[in-house]
Amino acid sequence: MSEPSLTAPHQLSYTYKRSLGPVFSKFFTALRDRKVLGMKRRDGTVLMPPKEYDPDTGESLDEMVELADAGVVTSWVWVPKPRRQQPLTQPFAYALVQLDGADTAFLHAVDAGSEDKMSTGMRVKMRWADETIGAITDFVFVPAE
Amino acid sequence: MSDDKNDPVEIFRGHVELDYQYTAGVSASRFLRAVEQGKFLGQKCPVDGRVYFPSRGSCPMHAVPFGDDSTVELPDKGTVVTYSIVRVPSENIPLELPYITVQVLIDGADTALGHVLDANLDDVRMGMRVQAKWKPKSEWTTSMANIEYFVPIDEPDADYETYKEHI
Ligand SMILES: [Zn+2]
Protein backbone atom coordinates (compact mmCIF):
# COMPACT_ATOMS: atom_id res chain seq x y z
CA MET A 1 0.00 0.00 0.00
CA SER A 2 1.54 3.27 -1.11
CA GLU A 3 -0.93 5.82 0.20
CA PRO A 4 -2.69 6.01 3.54
CA SER A 5 -6.36 5.19 3.82
CA LEU A 6 -8.80 7.99 3.17
CA THR A 7 -10.82 9.13 6.13
CA ALA A 8 -13.69 11.58 6.41
CA PRO A 9 -16.42 12.65 8.81
CA HIS A 10 -19.60 10.71 8.24
CA GLN A 11 -22.97 11.62 9.66
CA LEU A 12 -25.76 9.10 9.64
CA SER A 13 -29.05 10.79 10.35
CA TYR A 14 -32.57 9.54 10.40
CA THR A 15 -35.59 11.78 10.68
CA TYR A 16 -39.05 10.46 11.20
CA LYS A 17 -42.51 11.34 12.47
CA ARG A 18 -44.48 9.15 14.79
CA SER A 19 -48.17 9.47 15.61
CA LEU A 20 -48.43 9.73 19.36
CA GLY A 21 -51.81 8.08 19.77
CA PRO A 22 -54.34 9.07 22.44
CA VAL A 23 -52.24 8.43 25.56
CA PHE A 24 -48.97 10.02 24.53
CA SER A 25 -50.81 12.85 22.81
CA LYS A 26 -52.36 13.75 26.18
CA PHE A 27 -49.01 13.35 27.91
CA PHE A 28 -47.14 15.68 25.55
CA THR A 29 -49.98 18.19 25.30
CA ALA A 30 -49.94 18.38 29.11
CA LEU A 31 -46.18 18.92 29.08
CA ARG A 32 -46.72 21.94 26.86
CA ASP A 33 -49.04 23.21 29.62
CA ARG A 34 -46.30 22.44 32.19
CA LYS A 35 -48.14 19.51 33.70
CA VAL A 36 -47.08 15.89 34.01
CA LEU A 37 -49.59 13.07 33.58
CA GLY A 38 -49.04 9.51 34.71
CA MET A 39 -51.25 6.50 34.04
CA LYS A 40 -53.16 4.83 36.86
CA ARG A 41 -53.38 1.05 36.79
CA ARG A 42 -56.34 -0.89 38.10
CA ASP A 43 -54.45 -1.70 41.31
CA GLY A 44 -54.06 2.03 41.96
CA THR A 45 -50.36 2.30 41.20
CA VAL A 46 -49.28 5.00 38.76
CA LEU A 47 -46.96 4.54 35.79
CA MET A 48 -44.68 7.38 34.75
CA PRO A 49 -44.06 7.64 31.86
CA PRO A 50 -47.65 6.65 31.12
CA LYS A 51 -48.30 3.48 29.19
CA GLU A 52 -51.18 2.58 26.91
CA TYR A 53 -51.39 -0.95 28.25
CA ASP A 54 -50.76 -2.48 31.64
CA PRO A 55 -47.34 -4.12 31.34
CA ASP A 56 -48.42 -7.04 33.56
CA THR A 57 -51.97 -7.78 32.46
CA GLY A 58 -52.04 -6.22 28.98
CA GLU A 59 -55.34 -4.44 29.66
CA SER A 60 -55.96 -1.01 28.13
CA LEU A 61 -55.32 1.92 30.42
CA ASP A 62 -56.88 5.37 30.15
CA GLU A 63 -57.04 6.96 33.60
CA MET A 64 -54.40 9.66 33.51
CA VAL A 65 -53.55 11.47 36.71
CA GLU A 66 -51.54 14.64 37.26
CA LEU A 67 -48.28 14.21 39.14
CA ALA A 68 -46.14 16.61 41.13
CA ASP A 69 -43.33 18.46 39.37
CA ALA A 70 -40.87 17.09 41.94
CA GLY A 71 -39.63 13.72 43.02
CA VAL A 72 -36.75 11.54 44.19
CA VAL A 73 -33.61 10.36 42.39
CA THR A 74 -33.50 6.57 42.57
CA SER A 75 -30.31 6.13 40.51
CA TRP A 76 -27.97 8.39 38.58
CA VAL A 77 -24.79 8.69 36.56
CA TRP A 78 -22.67 11.77 36.04
CA VAL A 79 -21.93 12.94 32.49
CA PRO A 80 -18.69 14.97 32.76
CA LYS A 81 -18.35 15.73 29.05
CA PRO A 82 -21.76 16.12 27.41
CA ARG A 83 -21.90 15.30 23.74
CA ARG A 84 -23.74 17.16 21.07
CA GLN A 85 -27.48 16.47 21.25
CA GLN A 86 -27.42 15.52 24.89
CA PRO A 87 -29.92 17.56 26.89
CA LEU A 88 -27.42 19.98 28.45
CA THR A 89 -24.16 21.47 27.24
CA GLN A 90 -22.63 21.68 30.73
CA PRO A 91 -21.85 18.56 32.82
CA PHE A 92 -25.04 17.00 34.20
CA ALA A 93 -26.49 13.77 35.58
CA TYR A 94 -28.73 11.27 33.90
CA ALA A 95 -31.04 10.10 36.64
CA LEU A 96 -34.01 7.87 37.24
CA VAL A 97 -36.55 10.12 38.93
CA GLN A 98 -39.68 8.92 40.67
CA LEU A 99 -42.14 11.79 40.76
CA ASP A 100 -44.30 12.28 43.82
CA GLY A 101 -47.49 10.35 43.14
CA ALA A 102 -45.84 7.90 40.72
CA ASP A 103 -44.78 4.33 41.43
CA THR A 104 -42.18 4.07 38.67
CA ALA A 105 -39.13 6.15 37.85
CA PHE A 106 -38.16 7.56 34.46
CA LEU A 107 -34.90 8.69 32.92
CA HIS A 108 -34.16 12.38 32.59
CA ALA A 109 -31.42 14.95 33.10
CA VAL A 110 -30.52 16.73 36.33
CA ASP A 111 -28.75 20.07 36.03
CA ALA A 112 -26.94 19.78 39.34
CA GLY A 113 -23.86 21.85 38.57
CA SER A 114 -21.38 19.35 39.96
CA GLU A 115 -21.23 15.66 40.71
CA ASP A 116 -20.96 16.16 44.48
CA LYS A 117 -24.46 17.68 44.47
CA MET A 118 -25.87 14.35 43.31
CA SER A 119 -26.97 11.53 45.58
CA THR A 120 -29.43 8.68 45.45
CA GLY A 121 -32.53 9.69 47.37
CA MET A 122 -32.07 13.41 46.76
CA ARG A 123 -35.08 15.56 45.94
CA VAL A 124 -35.31 17.17 42.51
CA LYS A 125 -37.85 19.41 40.81
CA MET A 126 -38.60 20.35 37.25
CA ARG A 127 -37.26 23.50 35.69
CA TRP A 128 -39.36 24.32 32.64
CA ALA A 129 -38.05 25.82 29.41
CA ASP A 130 -39.05 29.41 28.68
CA GLU A 131 -41.09 28.14 25.78
CA THR A 132 -42.66 24.69 26.01
CA ILE A 133 -43.58 22.86 22.81
CA GLY A 134 -44.91 19.54 24.06
CA ALA A 135 -41.69 17.52 24.17
CA ILE A 136 -39.78 15.65 26.86
CA THR A 137 -37.10 18.34 26.49
CA ASP A 138 -39.52 20.97 27.82
CA PHE A 139 -37.93 20.55 31.23
CA VAL A 140 -34.88 19.34 33.11
CA PHE A 141 -34.58 18.53 36.77
CA VAL A 142 -32.66 20.63 39.28
CA PRO A 143 -31.88 19.85 42.92
CA ALA A 144 -34.82 20.87 45.12
CA GLU A 145 -34.30 22.60 48.42
CA MET B 1 -45.06 19.39 18.72
CA SER B 2 -47.83 21.08 16.79
CA ASP B 3 -48.25 24.13 14.64
CA ASP B 4 -50.89 25.75 16.80
CA LYS B 5 -50.45 26.33 20.48
CA ASN B 6 -54.00 25.20 21.17
CA ASP B 7 -54.01 22.04 19.09
CA PRO B 8 -53.28 18.77 20.85
CA VAL B 9 -49.74 17.51 20.35
CA GLU B 10 -50.25 14.51 18.08
CA ILE B 11 -46.94 13.98 16.29
CA PHE B 12 -43.49 13.19 17.61
CA ARG B 13 -40.64 14.29 15.34
CA GLY B 14 -37.70 12.02 15.80
CA HIS B 15 -34.22 12.91 14.69
CA VAL B 16 -31.42 10.46 15.17
CA GLU B 17 -27.92 11.64 14.33
CA LEU B 18 -24.81 9.53 14.56
CA ASP B 19 -21.40 11.08 13.93
CA TYR B 20 -18.60 8.90 12.69
CA GLN B 21 -15.10 9.30 11.44
CA TYR B 22 -15.22 6.92 8.50
CA THR B 23 -12.01 5.26 7.35
CA ALA B 24 -12.34 3.89 3.86
CA GLY B 25 -9.64 1.21 4.03
CA VAL B 26 -7.19 0.18 1.30
CA SER B 27 -9.60 -0.92 -1.39
CA ALA B 28 -12.20 1.84 -1.11
CA SER B 29 -9.42 4.45 -0.81
CA ARG B 30 -7.94 3.23 -4.10
CA PHE B 31 -11.42 3.29 -5.63
CA LEU B 32 -12.11 6.85 -4.46
CA ARG B 33 -8.70 8.11 -5.58
CA ALA B 34 -9.53 6.75 -9.03
CA VAL B 35 -12.94 8.46 -8.91
CA GLU B 36 -11.05 11.69 -8.23
CA GLN B 37 -9.36 11.08 -11.61
CA GLY B 38 -12.69 10.36 -13.30
CA LYS B 39 -12.14 6.59 -13.42
CA PHE B 40 -14.13 3.62 -12.15
CA LEU B 41 -12.23 0.69 -10.64
CA GLY B 42 -13.61 -2.75 -10.00
CA GLN B 43 -11.95 -5.82 -8.57
CA LYS B 44 -11.94 -9.23 -10.21
CA CYS B 45 -12.31 -12.31 -8.04
CA PRO B 46 -9.36 -14.66 -8.59
CA VAL B 47 -11.66 -17.67 -8.08
CA ASP B 48 -14.57 -17.12 -10.44
CA GLY B 49 -13.65 -13.91 -12.28
CA ARG B 50 -16.68 -11.93 -11.13
CA VAL B 51 -15.99 -8.20 -11.07
CA TYR B 52 -17.10 -6.32 -7.99
CA PHE B 53 -17.88 -2.65 -8.34
CA PRO B 54 -17.28 -0.55 -6.34
CA SER B 55 -14.21 -2.49 -5.27
CA ARG B 56 -14.26 -3.87 -1.76
CA GLY B 57 -11.06 -5.56 -0.66
CA SER B 58 -12.17 -9.17 -0.59
CA CYS B 59 -14.62 -11.47 -2.29
CA PRO B 60 -17.78 -11.95 -0.22
CA MET B 61 -18.49 -15.24 -2.02
CA HIS B 62 -15.11 -16.92 -1.68
CA ALA B 63 -13.60 -15.01 1.25
CA VAL B 64 -10.35 -14.37 -0.61
CA PRO B 65 -8.53 -11.04 -0.48
CA PHE B 66 -8.34 -9.00 -3.67
CA GLY B 67 -4.67 -8.24 -4.35
CA ASP B 68 -3.48 -5.17 -6.21
CA ASP B 69 -3.42 -7.24 -9.42
CA SER B 70 -7.17 -7.83 -9.21
CA THR B 71 -7.99 -4.19 -10.02
CA VAL B 72 -9.72 -3.59 -13.34
CA GLU B 73 -10.71 -0.28 -14.87
CA LEU B 74 -14.31 -0.02 -15.98
CA PRO B 75 -16.14 2.44 -18.22
CA ASP B 76 -18.72 4.87 -16.86
CA LYS B 77 -21.46 3.35 -19.02
CA GLY B 78 -23.88 0.65 -18.05
CA THR B 79 -27.34 -0.83 -18.19
CA VAL B 80 -30.36 -0.12 -16.01
CA VAL B 81 -31.21 -3.47 -14.44
CA THR B 82 -34.03 -2.17 -12.27
CA TYR B 83 -35.46 1.18 -11.27
CA SER B 84 -37.99 2.94 -9.08
CA ILE B 85 -39.87 6.19 -9.49
CA VAL B 86 -39.79 8.05 -6.20
CA ARG B 87 -42.81 10.19 -5.42
CA VAL B 88 -42.42 10.44 -1.64
CA PRO B 89 -40.05 13.07 -0.23
CA SER B 90 -37.23 12.28 2.18
CA GLU B 91 -36.04 15.12 4.35
CA ASN B 92 -32.38 14.52 3.55
CA ILE B 93 -32.75 14.03 -0.22
CA PRO B 94 -32.96 17.42 -1.91
CA LEU B 95 -34.10 16.11 -5.32
CA GLU B 96 -37.25 17.45 -6.88
CA LEU B 97 -40.09 14.91 -7.01
CA PRO B 98 -40.71 12.70 -8.82
CA TYR B 99 -37.27 11.32 -9.57
CA ILE B 100 -35.91 7.99 -10.76
CA THR B 101 -33.57 5.76 -8.81
CA VAL B 102 -31.78 3.09 -10.81
CA GLN B 103 -29.54 0.13 -10.29
CA VAL B 104 -26.90 0.43 -12.99
CA LEU B 105 -24.82 -2.54 -14.04
CA ILE B 106 -21.60 -0.93 -15.24
CA ASP B 107 -20.22 -2.63 -18.35
CA GLY B 108 -17.81 -5.35 -17.24
CA ALA B 109 -19.07 -5.40 -13.64
CA ASP B 110 -21.11 -8.11 -11.94
CA THR B 111 -22.60 -5.96 -9.20
CA ALA B 112 -24.95 -3.04 -9.72
CA LEU B 113 -24.53 0.53 -8.51
CA GLY B 114 -27.47 2.45 -7.08
CA HIS B 115 -27.85 5.99 -8.42
CA VAL B 116 -30.28 8.53 -9.83
CA LEU B 117 -31.27 8.77 -13.49
CA ASP B 118 -32.14 12.04 -15.21
CA ALA B 119 -34.73 10.92 -17.78
CA ASN B 120 -38.42 11.20 -18.63
CA LEU B 121 -40.47 9.00 -16.34
CA ASP B 122 -42.07 7.34 -19.37
CA ASP B 123 -38.73 6.46 -20.91
CA VAL B 124 -37.00 4.63 -18.09
CA ARG B 125 -36.95 0.87 -18.51
CA MET B 126 -34.93 -2.22 -17.73
CA GLY B 127 -32.15 -2.63 -20.25
CA MET B 128 -31.83 1.11 -20.89
CA ARG B 129 -28.26 2.18 -21.64
CA VAL B 130 -26.96 4.97 -19.44
CA GLN B 131 -23.77 6.87 -18.66
CA ALA B 132 -22.51 8.80 -15.66
CA LYS B 133 -22.88 12.56 -15.77
CA TRP B 134 -19.82 13.90 -13.99
CA LYS B 135 -19.45 17.23 -12.26
CA PRO B 136 -17.01 19.68 -13.88
CA LYS B 137 -13.50 18.27 -13.56
CA SER B 138 -12.38 21.20 -11.41
CA GLU B 139 -14.82 20.00 -8.71
CA TRP B 140 -13.69 16.37 -8.60
CA THR B 141 -12.74 15.03 -5.18
CA THR B 142 -12.28 11.55 -3.70
CA SER B 143 -16.06 11.16 -3.57
CA MET B 144 -18.83 9.42 -5.48
CA ALA B 145 -20.50 12.84 -5.40
CA ASN B 146 -18.35 13.53 -8.49
CA ILE B 147 -21.15 11.78 -10.35
CA GLU B 148 -24.24 13.93 -10.34
CA TYR B 149 -26.54 11.35 -11.89
CA PHE B 150 -26.81 9.00 -14.84
CA VAL B 151 -28.26 9.98 -18.21
CA PRO B 152 -29.64 7.85 -21.05
CA ILE B 153 -27.36 7.38 -24.05
CA ASP B 154 -28.20 6.68 -27.66
CA GLU B 155 -27.48 2.97 -27.75
CA PRO B 156 -29.81 0.02 -28.33
CA ASP B 157 -31.20 -1.53 -25.13
CA ALA B 158 -29.20 -4.35 -23.61
CA ASP B 159 -30.60 -7.82 -24.17
CA TYR B 160 -32.29 -9.17 -21.05
CA GLU B 161 -30.10 -12.29 -21.22
CA THR B 162 -27.02 -10.13 -20.67
CA TYR B 163 -28.11 -8.78 -17.29
CA LYS B 164 -30.73 -11.19 -15.96
CA GLU B 165 -28.27 -12.61 -13.43
CA HIS B 166 -27.73 -9.17 -11.95
CA ILE B 167 -31.23 -7.98 -11.12
ZN1 LIG C 1 -15.12 -14.72 -5.50
Side-chain angles (χ1 to χ4, degrees):
Chain A
M1 181 176 61
S2 53
E3 292 178 283
S5 185
L6 292 171
T7 180
H10 175 62
Q11 188 184 71
L12 190 64
S13 66
Y14 174 55
T15 55
Y16 61 98
K17 292 180 192 168
R18 176 196 188 283
S19 298
L20 290 168
V23 169
F24 292 110
S25 179
K26 276 186 198 147
F27 176 72
F28 285 106
T29 304
L31 282 184
R32 193 180 55 194
D33 298 332
R34 298 168 194 248
K35 291 177 189 154
V36 186
L37 300 181
M39 181 65 80
K40 190 179 265 187
R41 301 165 72 182
R42 190 162 292 176
D43 67 3
T45 57
V46 174
L47 301 169
M48 171 62 208
K51 290 197 188 303
E52 296 157 304
Y53 300 96
D54 188 297
D56 291 330
T57 67
E59 69 189 325
S60 290
L61 299 174
D62 60 7
E63 189 184 349
M64 298 189 81
V65 291
E66 188 173 342
L67 301 171
D69 64 353
V72 174
V73 169
T74 64
S75 183
W76 58 278
V77 65
W78 190 247
V79 182
K81 289 183 190 164
R83 307 185 69 167
R84 199 168 64 81
Q85 292 212 327
Q86 285 187 325
L88 292 163
T89 53
Q90 67 272 30
F92 68 97
Y94 274 125
L96 287 173
V97 176
Q98 187 170 336
L99 293 180
D100 298 343
D103 293 280
T104 57
F106 70 105
L107 184 71
H108 213 290
V110 182
D111 187 7
S114 66
E115 184 173 3
D116 58 17
K117 302 272 176 33
M118 290 299 302
S119 61
T120 300
M122 72 185 286
R123 300 277 306 162
V124 290
K125 64 173 196 278
M126 290 174 173
R127 181 184 69 207
W128 295 92
D130 292 337
E131 189 188 359
T132 54
I133 57 172
I136 200 68
T137 47
D138 280 347
F139 66 91
V140 293
F141 285 101
V142 291
E145 267 332 309
Chain B
M1 286 174 244
S2 71
D3 297 329
D4 190 296
K5 286 196 188 300
N6 299 312
D7 288 346
V9 180
E10 293 178 326
I11 297 290
F12 171 80
R13 290 170 197 273
H15 186 78
V16 177
E17 266 182 35
L18 299 170
D19 287 315
Y20 294 92
Q21 185 70 24
Y22 179 75
T23 299
V26 175
S27 181
S29 294
R30 179 168 45 215
F31 172 82
L32 291 169
R33 287 192 171 103
V35 166
E36 188 178 24
Q37 306 301 316
K39 291 180 193 163
F40 282 167
L41 295 184
Q43 282 183 305
K44 183 177 268 202
C45 174
V47 178
D48 67 5
R50 279 174 186 263
V51 173
Y52 289 89
F53 172 81
S55 55
R56 61 190 70 193
S58 64
C59 175
M61 297 276 283
H62 305 101
V64 291
F66 289 151
D68 288 344
D69 56 353
S70 66
T71 301
V72 289
E73 190 174 335
L74 300 172
D76 65 354
K77 287 184 185 179
T79 298
V80 172
V81 295
T82 187
Y83 66 94
S84 179
I85 296 172
V86 181
R87 301 178 190 275
V88 179
S90 295
E91 286 186 29
N92 58 344
I93 298 178
L95 297 172
E96 200 176 307
L97 294 174
Y99 61 89
I100 307 166
T101 60
V102 284
Q103 290 286 318
V104 177
L105 185 67
I106 292 293
D107 294 347
D110 290 286
T111 57
L113 172 75
H115 220 287
V116 175
L117 180 70
D118 182 26
N120 293 325
L121 301 188
D122 293 341
D123 291 343
V124 61
R125 60 199 179 270
M126 291 166 69
M128 185 182 222
R129 297 284 296 155
V130 294
Q131 185 168 20
K133 163 75 170 62
W134 296 75
K135 283 183 180 172
K137 195 169 184 175
S138 59
E139 296 174 24
W140 288 355
T141 64
T142 52
S143 167
M144 277 302 271
N146 292 355
I147 297 137
E148 291 184 279
Y149 43 78
F150 278 78
V151 290
I153 51 176
D154 188 19
E155 287 184 12
D157 281 11
D159 183 10
Y160 179 70
E161 295 296 316
T162 64
Y163 63 84
K164 69 176 184 183
E165 299 298 327
H166 303 290
I167 297 171

